[in-house]
Amino acid sequence: MEKLLSAMEFRILGALDVIKDDRPLPVRSGKQQALLALLLCQAGRVVHSDVLVDSLWGQEAGDQGVKRLRLHLHRLRRTLGAADAIVHRVQGYTLDIPSVALDARRFETLAHQGRQALASGSVAQASELLHAALSLWRGPALSGLEDLPLLHQEATRLNEERLSALGDCMDADLRLRRHADLIGRLSVLVDEHPLQERFRGQLMLALYRTGRQAEALEVYRAGRHILARDLGLEPGAELRRLELAILTSDASLAVCAPRTVHARRRRTRCPRC
């Protein structure tokens, strides 16, 4: 069974996909898709039978809920071609797959490694790891299955993790002096997430460092207007400090070289790098 599962890949960073021997494995039934997604979101952990029944049928399950669940589990095992992958425990079921077989787990591992590298000053390595993590995404997590509360909760968590990794990736690339290359992508992120001040500040910095000071200040003013109109708030303290630094051409905004292991012992890092 282990060898069989090693040839399978499960994807939830986008629409649910199963890849077996480098080919898509259709999971056509909506209930089977939802059941597989519920098990994948808790891969390696037991999901109580009552939770599965309630998620799939709610009050419509009636007295036949457990029977229905067993039938769909049987069909799902047959679809996957791995009868032992879904293991019955005392209180429920668990999907027993290697962590590398699930794209969400690979994403979390790479993103964590990228953040660690960024914190330690290994900026190029951090950028590479974070780009690799983000490349696993094909769309919003669990796309098409978010109507189930438990899947909606997990999709929200994963999508927020993606935004956090995107912010870390932009930080790494800014420290690698890729300002001009980032402007287009950051502009899209600011349009998609107008209340995310981290992306707005990164776009302001990228514009300023490419000689576009007026445009950087306009990005700030637009964000301030959106916050006041939609939430009745002012920008956060960090974004206000960045605006002031841009207005005064503060030397702390100057581009500085990425740190290396040896350079960290001799130099103080620019606060905006």
Side-chain angles (χ1 to χ4, degrees):
M1 194 265 291
E2 210 172 296
K3 183 178 180 181
L4 180 62
L5 288 177
S6 67
M8 298 184 72
E9 180 183 355
F10 299 86
R11 300 175 179 176
I12 62 174
L13 302 181
L16 176 67
D17 274 339
V18 180
I19 307 297
K20 183 175 182 180
D21 297 324
D22 297 324
R23 295 179 181 178
L25 182 67
V27 183
R28 294 188 175 90
S29 164
K31 290 297 184 187
Q32 282 189 43
Q33 289 181 6
L35 176 56
L36 177 57
L38 288 164
L39 292 170
L40 284 170
C41 289
Q42 298 293 325
R45 294 188 288 270
V46 176
V47 186
H48 201 288
S49 298
D50 289 345
V51 172
L52 293 171
V53 170
D54 184 60
S55 296
L56 292 171
W57 293 285
Q59 294 181 348
E60 297 178 3
D63 296 334
Q64 299 298 310
V66 174
K67 185 176 179 179
R68 285 185 182 183
L69 176 61
R70 289 172 180 166
L71 176 62
H72 281 279
L73 285 165
H74 170 73
R75 290 173 177 172
L76 181 57
R77 288 186 179 107
R78 188 170 58 190
T79 297
L80 297 177
D84 297 332
I86 302 173
V87 181
H88 178 242
R89 303 297 186 193
V90 174
Q91 294 185 319
Y93 296 87
T94 182
L95 185 62
D96 189 14
I97 60 172
S99 60
V100 294
L102 180 59
D103 61 352
R105 297 295 171 262
R106 297 202 308 276
F107 162 74
E108 290 171 333
T109 298
L110 288 166
H112 176 69
Q113 291 172 346
R115 291 187 185 103
Q116 286 186 318
L118 189 61
S120 69
S122 302
V123 185
Q125 181 186 19
S127 175
E128 183 177 347
L129 288 165
L130 289 163
H131 276 288
L134 293 165
S135 72
L136 295 171
W137 285 78
R138 298 166 292 111
L142 294 161
S143 181
L145 295 169
E146 311 95 318
D147 55 330
L148 295 183
L150 287 180
L151 295 182
H152 175 77
Q153 182 180 356
E154 180 65 5
T156 299
R157 184 189 72 81
L158 288 169
N159 289 331
E160 289 177 353
E161 283 293 317
R162 175 179 176 268
L163 287 182
S164 179
L166 271 167
D168 293 332
C169 189
M170 297 299 104
D171 278 345
D173 286 349
L174 282 170
R175 286 168 61 176
L176 291 170
R177 307 184 184 191
R178 296 171 180 168
H179 312 104
D181 295 336
L182 292 176
I183 289 173
R185 190 175 186 193
L186 282 167
S187 296
V188 171
L189 287 171
V190 168
D191 287 342
E192 292 176 345
H193 309 281
L195 300 180
Q196 285 275 350
E197 293 193 354
R198 185 180 188 184
F199 294 141
R200 191 171 296 276
Q202 290 169 334
L203 177 57
M204 290 167 61
L205 188 60
L207 287 166
Y208 176 79
R209 286 181 171 172
T210 51
R212 298 161 68 175
Q213 182 182 28
E215 291 176 67
L217 293 171
E218 180 56 35
V219 169
Y220 175 82
R221 285 190 289 269
R224 183 179 182 185
H225 172 73
I226 291 170
L227 280 171
R229 180 195 66 197
D230 295 351
L231 300 176
L233 298 174
E234 285 290 311
E238 186 174 351
L239 205 63
R240 294 199 304 270
R241 285 194 292 268
L242 177 57
E243 183 220 15
L244 179 60
I246 290 174
L247 279 168
T248 59
S249 299
D250 194 294
S252 68
L253 299 184
V255 180
C256 51
R259 290 183 298 169
T260 65
V261 173
H262 299 295
R264 286 204 307 276
R265 300 170 184 166
R266 303 193 303 268
R267 287 196 297 241
T268 300
R269 179 169 62 88
C270 163
R272 277 287 162 188
C273 287

